[in-house]
């Protein structure tokens, strides 16, 4: 049977659909939802909300880029949620949060830039800003709205 993985923007859900032949219909097919999983790590809070921006998968993982907005705050962030494909297929409500890895994309990029030992002349303004008393909270990381699965569990 054919299977389709679909990401829903508004409720941050991944849904797996299956196509099966309708009995007694002479070849007509039905589409049926097999799995529905919300990948929003903040679904149990009212102060933060997420929307699914991009979805990609490779041979091991499903990666989702989510736009996070906090109520009453001008700040916004992007996170990456990563779920093993096998865990998605055997998902139950009790293990849902344990199976998903959540990565703050902006913080990860800043941590990487701060840990680089090689001098990159493109980052001189960034380092000068920090040396002159600038705060990391004032640095904005712009995140692409596309996501590519690279294989070997790297999304």
């Amino acid at each position: 049977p054919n299977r389709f993985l679909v990401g829903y923007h508004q409720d941050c859900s991944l849904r797996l659909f299956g196509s099966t032949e309708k009995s007694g219909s002479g070849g007509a097919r039905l589409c049926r939802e097999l799995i529905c999983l919300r990948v929003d790590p903040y679904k149990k809070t009212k102060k933060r909300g997420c929307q699914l921006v991009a979805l990609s998968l490779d041979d091991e993982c499903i990666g989702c880029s989510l736009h996070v907005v906090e109520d009453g705050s001008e700040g916004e962030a992007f996170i990456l949620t990563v779920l093993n494909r096998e865990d998605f297929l055997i998902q139950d409500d009790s293990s849902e949060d344990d199976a998903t890895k959540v990565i703050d994309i902006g913080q990860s990029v800043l941590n990487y830039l701060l840990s680089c030992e090689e001098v990159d002349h493109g980052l001189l303004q960034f380092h000068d800003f920090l040396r002159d008393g600038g705060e990391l909270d004032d640095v904005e990381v712009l995140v692409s709205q596309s996501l590519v699965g690279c294989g070997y569990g790297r999304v």
Side-chain angles (χ1 to χ4, degrees):
N2 293 329
R3 301 218 170 156
F4 309 94
L5 181 64
V6 180
Y8 283 77
H9 171 76
Q10 291 296 344
D11 68 353
C12 284
S13 66
L14 299 178
R15 299 175 193 220
L16 182 66
F17 293 93
S19 171
T20 58
E21 193 170 313
K22 185 176 179 182
S23 60
S25 67
R29 301 194 65 80
L30 295 173
C31 185
R32 199 179 100 188
E33 183 178 299
L34 305 173
I35 300 172
C36 178
L37 174 69
R38 290 199 55 210
V39 293
D40 178 357
Y42 308 117
K43 62 185 166 270
K44 295 179 182 174
T45 68
K46 294 182 180 181
K47 294 188 177 194
R48 290 183 181 168
C50 287
Q51 292 182 331
L52 182 65
V53 175
L55 162 68
S56 184
L57 58 129
D58 68 8
D59 53 337
E60 295 179 25
C61 295
I62 302 170
C64 301
S65 175
L66 306 176
H67 179 224
V68 181
V69 179
E70 292 191 39
D71 287 347
S73 172
E74 292 182 22
E76 64 180 1
F78 286 88
I79 58 173
L80 177 66
T81 60
V82 181
L83 178 68
N84 182 289
R85 287 173 66 158
E86 293 298 319
D87 291 341
F88 173 73
L89 293 174
I90 59 171
Q91 200 61 242
D92 64 18
D93 291 335
S94 62
S95 67
E96 190 171 306
D97 295 330
D98 297 334
T100 304
K101 295 177 195 160
V102 179
I103 301 163
D104 182 325
I105 297 172
Q107 192 63 47
S108 295
V109 169
L110 291 175
N111 289 343
Y112 173 76
L113 294 177
L114 292 172
S115 69
C116 286
E117 295 181 10
E118 293 183 27
V119 176
D120 184 344
H121 296 295
L123 295 175
L124 289 177
Q125 283 184 317
F126 173 67
H127 290 289
D128 289 343
F129 171 75
L130 293 176
R131 193 175 17 259
D132 292 340
E135 297 291 328
L136 283 178
D137 290 340
D138 295 329
V139 177
E140 181 180 12
V141 176
L142 302 177
V143 177
S144 170
Q145 295 202 1
S146 62
L147 193 61
V148 177
C150 300
Y152 305 105
R154 294 177 297 202
V155 179

